[in-house]
Amino acid sequence: LVPLLAAGALKVSQDPGEVTVTAGDGVALGCCVLANEPWDLLRMEWVKDAGHKVLCATRLHPATPLPCSNCTPRLCLAWHPPCATLSLHQVHGDDAGNYLCWVTLEI
């Protein structure tokens, strides 16, 4: 995981920076969005290994929480403003890699 600082008025940070998980366990990856100006809608995508595979994508509103929404049977995305959590259940060996939270403000 690599923190990302976008140009302008939007800051996106990920936590934890790096994590090791045992096969069969679960893991939660956090992504917080801070903006200097109000926003109405953003698109969040979680990608694996430099964007070659989009794992989960959704549109989020700044003040509307989203309970855990299943992206796949093992992936769940929750939004508790200003942070989102991608939860991966029952980790497999092929889940190893770099995960990135990609955020785009929509106008």
Side-chain angles (χ1 to χ4, degrees):
L1 300 173
V2 178
L4 172 69
L5 180 60
L10 183 66
K11 179 181 178 185
V12 179
S13 61
Q14 289 185 230
D15 183 54
E18 186 173 322
V19 64
T20 301
V21 180
T22 303
D25 287 349
V27 66
L29 307 174
C31 179
C32 292
V33 179
L34 301 173
N36 290 340
E37 298 177 15
W39 53 274
D40 292 321
L41 186 66
L42 67 80
R43 178 172 179 79
M44 179 177 286
E45 295 179 323
W46 279 91
V47 296
K48 180 180 173 192
D49 294 327
H52 296 291
K53 180 180 180 184
V54 175
L55 300 172
C56 191
T58 191
R59 286 187 170 91
L60 302 168
H61 296 277
T64 306
L66 174 71
C68 208
S69 172
N70 287 333
C71 300
T72 70
R74 293 187 308 119
L75 279 174
C76 176
L77 179 65
W79 172 244
H80 301 286
C83 296
T85 303
L86 181 71
S87 299
L88 177 56
H89 307 286
Q90 298 175 344
V91 172
H92 298 163
D94 61 351
D95 293 322
N98 296 309
Y99 291 76
L100 177 69
C101 173
W102 187 260
V103 176
T104 306
L105 284 177
E106 295 191 352
I107 300 173

